[in-house]
Amino acid sequence: MGKREFHGVVLMSLCLWVCGVTASVTYDHKAIVVDGKRRILISGSIHYPRSTPQMWPDLIQKAKDGGLDVIQTYVFWNGHEPSPGQYYFEDRFDLVKFVKLVQQAGLYVHLRIGPYICAEWNFGGFPVWLKYVPGIAFRTDNEPFKAAMQKFTAKIVSLMKENRLFQSQGGPIIMSQIENEYGPVEWEIGAPGKAYTKWAAQMAVGLDTGVPWVMCKQEDAPDPVIDTCNGYYCENFKPNKNTKPKMWTENWTGWYTDFGGAVPRRPAEDLAFSVARFIQNGGSFVNYYMYHGGTNFGRTSGGLFIATSYDYDAPLDEYGLQNEPKYEHLRNLHKAIKQCEPALVATDPKVQSLGYNLEAHVFSTPGACAAFIANYDTKSYAKATFGNGQYDLPPWSISILPDCKTVVYNTAKVGNSWLKKMTPVNSAFAWQSYNEEPASSSQADSIAAYALWEQVNVTRDSSDYLWYMTDVYINANEGFLKNGQSPVLTAMSAGHVLHVFINDQLAGTVWGGLANPKLTFSDNVKLRVGNNKLSLLSVAVGLPNVGVHFETWNAGVLGPVTLKGLNEGTRDLSSQKWSYKVGLKGESLSLHTESGSSSVEWIRGSLVAKKQPLTWYKTTFSAPAGNDPLALDLGSMGKGEVWVNGRSIGRHWPGYIAHGSCNACNYAGFYTDTKCRTNCGQPSQRWYHVPRSWLSSGGNSLVVFEEWGGDPNGIALVKRT
Ligand code: GAL
């Protein structure tokens, strides 16, 4: 062997060694390239804190069986860093465990670090303390913000690296995301926005993950970051460089439910159609947002008025069960697409018109041929002639022919739905109750000011609740005392719910909604001669998660607060002395825990409170046999929060009845989130998921806090079958 050949062999074996072991993810104009191979990747969002670690393996396996290659998740900053520098990566926030489980199942991960994530998650994922960093402004060219964002992003990247989780290290993460849908914000704020985009991209790329970064809805994503599409349809999307692949990071499988809103649905046919259309137009990565939506446990839901259920009409329902016919219909779609993969990655499609509203997209190479035949008409069936064949196409549908001859799938032909039932397993609980008094300004820990304060500024989101308390003095010579016309109290609030107590009696409740969180209480109130105690309980229902500088949005009673109909005319109470108390008494006593609940006297038997405001209820129950998912039917309750064995299953608000316009889903054609909405006239959410793994085989405690009045005897534990 000559010197040259010897070198060649060494180089080759070096390459075999290095190239064989070192994995890589790159991309070109067609697709993400994994270890030298272009891939058509089907992805689905499963957000780890929206289910329990015990549910993860099953969800991931079902995703795999459903034909997914990738699991996509956001990273939830406020769950991981509840106070500055104090990190939490356990239980539902055990990100490393989640990623490793995906790896064990043989799937890839798309890690959307954000750290702004939107996601109907409290404060869009930002920790509340971030708002109070001096000089900070979120998501713009602001030094304190950029420093905090970089610190957390780097923290996550190094955690992933330490665990060798990037594909470049042999792990499952093939892609990451920085920011989230920043394009529209940048468009609104201009130059500082542009500078921030550049900085964010550079900062992310500088973290050297060895796998590509994407920015969704970011038309000016700086190279090498890939801009991607989000929406119900993305067939016409084009990345900002012809060297980047056409990717869809959020194909909305339904939509979220808000308290007071109808329950959105998206037909499986339309969802499949949108995917097939994207792929035939050269798309190579599709992610279902959500594949499993899950539950907003505790106080994690944000965006204002977002329900505790985040079911999303996803292919796997909130409880992890298959949502049919959607799950199966997509599974078959994925099979058909996978059969086409060799042709899809090899060449760009040739488009043929087959008549009015009829098209074929043909991917043909010497070795492979795949065709998609589409009927875009929303009403009429069509017969298309393609090659030597005749093809029948339902309206708004695409047929897939992995060999350019045989139809293996049509997006409009779905299987049967499954009937799901909520069957009561226990509805005879022995309830005990405890009524808490409206707070009083004489309480030691109340604070006072001659002003109305913004709510989150005071609570720092440690509780949904803030008491505003003041005194109203009424003279014996007030005219209304004789003429029987009680004065009108008006209180204006930036949101989100307000309970008004006068002399400890509930005088009324008002609330806003997703479209407008602001509210005004205005009603005649009963006042007596002398001092009257006015206590306003202001309730936040999640912090905002979206909008330009959403961190500046206010909540709480900002005023004015006035009393009209006195001898003096209208009395403005806004700048008199107000006392504040953060949270409920029951919260500070931890009544939801076993040790805390023994600190008060509970009422039992026939005297248990019903339809009373500010009532805590507790009971115990044993876990039903079997593995069927469980829920609480809270249809008889108003609003509040529920705990099982000390853990919050979320806010309940079945008292908010879905209004607006409802529409069944018998629809073929352009879909928007307002198209199919169900449940009008019913509670937006009646059932609340109780994770099996939170129960023990012995006795389990159930605690309900009710704000304005409910009947606990109507509560049932149900199983979903
Ligand atoms: C998108 C956003 C997601 C989620 C979704 C609605 O615009 O990127 O995080 O909020 O809307 O469910």
Side-chain angles (χ1 to χ4, degrees):
M1 199 188 307
K3 214 174 177 184
R4 188 177 263 160
E5 279 128 303
F6 173 77
H7 271 150
V9 171
V10 171
L11 270 181
M12 238 175 68
S13 36
L14 238 182
C15 179
L16 273 180
W17 183 65
V18 178
C19 311
V21 181
T22 307
S24 77
V25 185
T26 56
Y27 63 81
D28 63 17
H29 82 286
K30 280 235 54 119
I32 291 290
V33 179
V34 184
D35 291 340
K37 254 179 87 178
R38 285 180 182 158
R39 294 298 312 274
I40 302 294
L41 293 170
I42 309 292
S43 171
S45 293
I46 301 178
H47 293 160
Y48 50 97
R50 285 178 157 143
S51 54
T52 60
Q54 291 76 10
M55 291 170 73
W56 294 343
D58 180 58
L59 294 174
I60 295 166
Q61 188 58 44
K62 282 179 175 149
K64 185 179 184 177
D65 296 342
L68 298 200
D69 307 295
V70 184
I71 303 296
Q72 187 201 69
T73 182
Y74 284 125
V75 175
F76 298 79
W77 186 359
N78 50 16
H80 292 302
E81 198 178 352
S83 50
Q86 302 283 311
Y87 295 102
Y88 181 77
F89 287 98
E90 272 149 59
D91 195 33
R92 286 185 294 119
F93 290 91
D94 193 342
L95 173 59
V96 169
K97 180 172 185 174
F98 181 77
V99 173
K100 284 186 174 168
L101 283 170
V102 177
Q103 179 177 30
Q104 278 161 30
L107 300 182
Y108 296 128
V109 171
H110 180 203
L111 194 68
R112 304 172 91 191
I113 300 178
Y116 167 69
I117 61 168
C118 195
E120 291 71 70
W121 191 259
N122 203 35
F123 224 26
F126 289 136
V128 174
W129 54 258
L130 192 66
K131 175 176 169 172
Y132 300 97
V133 169
I136 206 158
F138 287 4
R139 304 179 75 204
T140 185
D141 193 16
N142 167 281
E143 294 310 321
F145 178 77
K146 290 191 298 184
M149 170 166 166
Q150 175 159 10
K151 188 166 168 224
F152 181 73
T153 308
K155 166 92 192 165
I156 294 300
V157 166
S158 54
L159 182 67
M160 296 300 106
K161 280 188 185 172
E162 276 159 34
N163 287 279
R164 309 199 60 77
L165 293 176
F166 287 106
Q167 202 272 354
S168 48
Q169 307 172 288
I173 305 172
I174 53 165
M175 262 187 313
S176 292
Q177 176 178 303
I178 194 74
E179 253 293 342
N180 190 77
E181 295 193 334
Y182 188 66
V185 178
E186 178 185 310
W187 194 82
E188 230 171 282
I189 69 173
K194 280 198 171 29
Y196 167 70
T197 298
K198 258 203 185 142
W199 169 84
Q202 257 169 25
M203 184 273 285
V205 171
L207 294 173
D208 228 356
T209 58
V211 301
W213 288 90
V214 308
M215 279 178 135
C216 59
K217 273 206 188 169
Q218 189 74 55
E219 284 171 17
D220 60 350
D223 297 340
V225 176
I226 308 166
D227 58 320
T228 62
C229 187
N230 290 352
Y232 287 111
Y233 303 97
C234 277
E235 64 273 3
N236 294 324
F237 171 78
K238 281 201 174 57
N240 63 12
K241 279 268 170 73
N242 55 16
T243 51
K244 297 179 185 177
K246 175 165 166 164
M247 295 176 35
W248 191 354
T249 30
E250 288 181 29
N251 182 352
W252 299 318
T253 52
W255 198 242
Y256 57 80
T257 301
D258 55 290
F259 288 123
V263 179
R265 302 268 168 222
R266 185 179 186 190
E269 297 92 319
D270 182 65
L271 182 55
F273 177 83
S274 72
V275 173
R277 197 171 187 183
F278 182 70
I279 299 288
Q280 72 171 18
N281 285 12
S284 57
F285 177 99
V286 183
N287 176 72
Y288 297 103
Y289 188 102
M290 300 296 294
Y291 195 75
H292 171 254
T295 310
N296 295 312
F297 295 113
R299 300 171 54 243
T300 58
S301 85
L304 307 186
F305 298 90
I306 301 301
T308 294
S309 168
Y310 200 63
D311 178 85
Y312 224 90
D313 198 21
L316 296 176
D317 73 12
E318 176 178 7
Y319 301 86
L321 302 178
Q322 288 162 226
N323 175 11
E324 300 294 9
K326 200 173 266 187
Y327 176 88
E328 191 63 19
H329 192 49
L330 296 178
R331 194 170 79 93
N332 293 330
L333 168 68
H334 305 151
K335 264 196 224 157
I337 291 174
K338 279 293 139 82
Q339 284 178 264
C340 303
E341 188 172 6
L344 294 176
V345 295
T347 179
D348 294 326
K350 298 232 156 50
V351 188
Q352 297 172 21
S353 169
L354 305 179
Y356 178 68
N357 263 340
L358 291 175
E359 252 177 18
H361 285 70
V362 186
F363 298 78
S364 171
T365 68
C369 186
F372 289 62
I373 305 180
N375 176 10
Y376 303 127
D377 200 283
T378 55
K379 299 208 171 59
S380 21
Y381 274 80
K383 258 196 193 334
T385 309
F386 171 71
N388 297 326
Q390 282 260 327
Y391 299 90
D392 289 323
L393 288 157
W396 197 247
S397 83
I398 294 176
S399 282
I400 300 180
L401 296 66
D403 61 355
C404 284
K405 289 194 191 91
T406 331
V407 176
V408 299
Y409 183 85
N410 177 277
T411 57
K413 295 187 180 155
V414 290
N416 294 328
S417 61
W418 287 5
L419 195 66
K420 297 237 188 68
K421 277 198 307 195
M422 294 299 211
T423 315
V425 287
N426 187 352
S427 49
F429 297 106
W431 289 103
Q432 302 181 27
S433 68
Y434 166 76
N435 265 90
E436 79 166 69
E437 298 270 286
S440 127
S441 52
S442 58
Q443 263 165 275
D445 56 346
S446 65
I447 31 180
Y450 287 82
L452 289 164
W453 278 347
E454 197 278 329
Q455 178 157 344
V456 183
N457 212 355
V458 184
T459 64
R460 302 284 159 118
D461 201 35
S462 63
S463 167
D464 280 1
Y465 303 96
L466 179 64
W467 286 102
Y468 293 72
M469 299 162 282
T470 197
D471 293 331
V472 177
Y473 194 83
I474 297 296
N475 277 319
N477 65 0
E478 281 293 350
F480 78 85
L481 294 168
K482 283 179 223 114
N483 66 24
Q485 295 209 322
S486 30
V488 174
L489 176 75
T490 302
M492 308 225 340
S493 163
H496 311 143
V497 177
L498 187 65
H499 303 291
V500 176
F501 292 85
I502 302 211
N503 297 322
D504 292 344
Q505 296 299 310
L506 183 61
T509 293
V510 274
W511 59 85
L514 177 73
N516 183 11
K518 291 194 181 138
L519 54 94
T520 304
F521 173 90
S522 194
D523 211 346
N524 296 87
V525 288
K526 271 209 187 112
L527 297 171
R528 60 190 177 210
V529 175
N531 212 22
N532 291 269
K533 179 182 164 196
L534 172 60
S535 315
L536 307 175
L537 180 60
S538 179
V539 193
V541 191
L543 301 185
N545 72 320
V546 65
V548 175
H549 287 302
F550 62 80
E551 76 271 24
T552 60
W553 297 11
N554 292 329
V557 186
L558 301 179
V561 179
T562 59
L563 199 57
K564 205 163 138 186
L566 304 178
N567 293 350
E568 70 207 71
T570 299
R571 190 187 296 176
D572 190 349
L573 311 178
S574 313
S575 49
Q576 66 178 44
K577 185 174 173 194
W578 288 86
S579 301
Y580 294 87
K581 166 104 182 68
V582 175
L584 305 163
K585 181 175 171 199
E587 285 180 302
S588 57
L589 294 173
S590 294
L591 290 188
H592 63 287
T593 66
E594 211 178 314
S595 54
S597 95
S598 57
S599 58
V600 299
E601 286 280 336
W602 294 80
I603 292 170
R604 296 156 202 257
S606 59
L607 292 179
V608 162
K610 256 184 252 161
K611 306 268 171 210
Q612 295 272 322
L614 305 185
T615 307
W616 294 79
Y617 294 102
K618 75 166 184 178
T619 189
T620 54
F621 66 100
S622 48
N627 291 320
D628 293 322
L630 301 172
L632 282 171
D633 178 350
L634 296 171
S636 65
M637 302 305 282
K639 179 184 181 302
E641 192 173 344
V642 186
W643 296 262
V644 169
N645 290 332
R647 293 167 163 224
S648 172
I649 67 166
R651 298 185 181 99
H652 72 272
W653 198 352
Y656 210 150
I657 303 299
H659 51 260
S661 53
C662 270
N663 247 317
C665 277
N666 49 8
Y667 174 82
F670 195 77
Y671 176 85
T672 68
D673 63 328
T674 52
K675 261 282 150 9
C676 319
R677 289 161 71 83
T678 59
N679 240 38
C680 288
Q682 303 287 318
S684 300
Q685 186 179 351
R686 172 172 165 188
W687 290 286
Y688 296 79
H689 182 203
V690 178
R692 275 268 176 193
S693 62
W694 290 9
L695 301 183
S696 64
S697 49
N700 297 282
S701 86
L702 170 58
V703 175
V704 179
F705 171 67
E706 174 57 45
E707 281 172 28
W708 82 66
D711 182 358
N713 295 319
I715 296 178
L717 186 68
V718 303
K719 63 179 183 187
R720 186 162 173 84
T721 50

